[in-house]
């Protein structure tokens, strides 16, 4: 598959002057809940109502969705509000039921995208459809797997496609429920600039207080849309309670977000510059996180050395590190002088950390 302008026809057809907004609850809970949220969203920037009917849960025993019954609620919400509808499909049977219920957009969940067999089945069940299919990134940070899923739909003659970035799972606990790894989405965007890219800040965050910042980063990186979990009573939602926001909060957030519009060459220049700057910000953030992690390990080394009465500075080890880093630096077009400066500073900070630990241990 190569980049094609036609990939974004479905999105352009909306003629929106703001990013596409998909909003609604994590799960459809009751008919009244779906209808109430749809009415609260109807006169906002949200064009599409989302609600999960079949909920993939990592562990059994959590709410697994209301099933096919919920499709009728989405249909009713569409009739009453004019909003388009979207839900997750995870097998060919779901596809048949969703098509029967005339759901407008189908999304493929992160736990489905990981499996080429299931993706292939779903793609074949949808062959030639003019419905839009949005493919969430797989739970593991693997761009090829994500693209592979997009290609499976494309080769079944499904041309209304888009991708949803919902972050990647990590064993290590971070401030995110799913680590954004922005670079993966940026790489995908560079390869397929016309494939609509939508941010799902809710599943990246896992908590509502950082949804706004995530959306701003997404918009600064030129994302085409946002999918935000929205519920009138987030704390009592049957799934993903901590990350949902109210429709009113969504409206306020859309007012507060800085949305860039591409018109005129100066604006275009600024947009490009902003996108590149945001890419740099993302990497700087990773640098700081990694430096922090490195110093935590230094603390552990400091403790170990103090316990064993070993001196902090070990010249042989240090020279080995420098030699290795200079060679690695060369492969990445980084000068020897630069590597020396950076690593001397890193080494000094590491020694300071180890000294502090040794002092605390009274060594
Ligand atoms: C969801 O959108 O509610 C969902 C289950 O998402 P994901 O597949 O990204 O975990
Ligand atoms: Mn959810």
């Amino acid at each position: 598959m190569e980049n094609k302008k036609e990939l974004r026809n479905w999105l352009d057809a909306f003629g929106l002057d703001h990013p596409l907004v998909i909003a609604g609850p994590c799960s459809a809970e009751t008919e009244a809940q779906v209808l109430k949220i749809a009415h609260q969203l109807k006169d906002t920037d949200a064009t599409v109502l989302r609600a999960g009917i079949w909920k993939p849960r990592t562990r059994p025993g959590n709410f697994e969705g209301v099933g096919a019954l919920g499709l009728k609620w989405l249909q009713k919400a569409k009739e009453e509000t004019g909003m388009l509808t979207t839900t997750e499909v995870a097998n060919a049977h779901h596809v048949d039921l969703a098509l029967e219920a005339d759901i407008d957009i189908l999304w493929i969940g992160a736990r489905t995208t990981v499996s080429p067999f299931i993706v292939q089945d779903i793609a074949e069940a949808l062959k030639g459809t003019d419905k839009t299919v949005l493919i969430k990134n797989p739970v593991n940070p693997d761009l090829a797997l994500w693209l592979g899923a997009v290609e499976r739909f494309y080769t079944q003659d499904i041309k209304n496609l888009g991708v949803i970035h919902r972050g990647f799972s990590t064993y290590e606990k971070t401030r995110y429920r799913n680590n954004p790894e922005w670079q993966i989405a940026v790489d995908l965007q560079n390869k397929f600039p016309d494939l609509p890219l939508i941010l799902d800040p809710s599943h990246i965050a896992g908590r509502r207080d950082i949804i706004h910042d995530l959306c701003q980063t997404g918009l600064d990186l030129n994302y085409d849309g946002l999918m935000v979990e929205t519920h009138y009573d987030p704390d009592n939602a049957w799934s993903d309670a901590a990350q949902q926001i109210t429709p009113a909060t969504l409206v306020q957030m859309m007012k507060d977000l800085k949305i860039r519009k591409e018109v005129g060459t100066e604006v275009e220049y600024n947009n490009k510059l902003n996108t590149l700057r945001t890419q740099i910000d993302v990497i700087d953030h990773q640098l700081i996180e990694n430096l922090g992690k490195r110093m935590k390990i230094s603390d552990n080394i400091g403790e170990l050395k103090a316990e064993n009465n070993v001196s902090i500075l070990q010249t042989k080890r240090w020279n080995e590190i420098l030699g290795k880093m200079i060679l690695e630096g060369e492969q990445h077009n980084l000068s020897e002088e630069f590597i020396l400066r950076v690593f001397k500073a890193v080494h000094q900070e590491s020694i300071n950390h180890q000294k502090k630990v040794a002092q605390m241990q009274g060594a």
Side-chain angles (χ1 to χ4, degrees), residues 89 122 153 344:
V89 289
I122 297 175
F153 286 97
K344 275 186 186 155

Side-chain angles (χ1 to χ4, degrees), residues 220-283:
D220 290 342
L221 288 170
N222 267 330
Y223 279 48
D224 299 284
L226 305 168
M227 182 197 247
V228 186
E229 285 190 340
T230 317
H231 194 293
Y232 52 80
D233 185 7
D235 284 335
N236 290 307
W238 295 3
S239 57
D240 290 352
Q243 72 196 30
Q244 306 209 46
I245 60 174
T246 63
T249 305
L250 177 71
V251 168
Q252 188 57 47
M253 181 177 82
M254 292 308 293
K255 277 194 198 137
D256 295 340
L257 286 171
K258 286 186 209 75
I259 296 168
R260 293 190 267 123
K261 295 199 179 92
E262 276 189 48
V263 271
T265 48
E266 195 180 329
V267 180
E268 214 169 287
Y269 157 78
N270 281 328
N271 279 352
K272 284 196 178 133
L273 187 64
N274 269 330
T275 303
L276 293 171
R277 283 184 170 156
T278 308
Q279 292 181 11
I280 294 254
D281 290 349
V282 165
I283 292 181

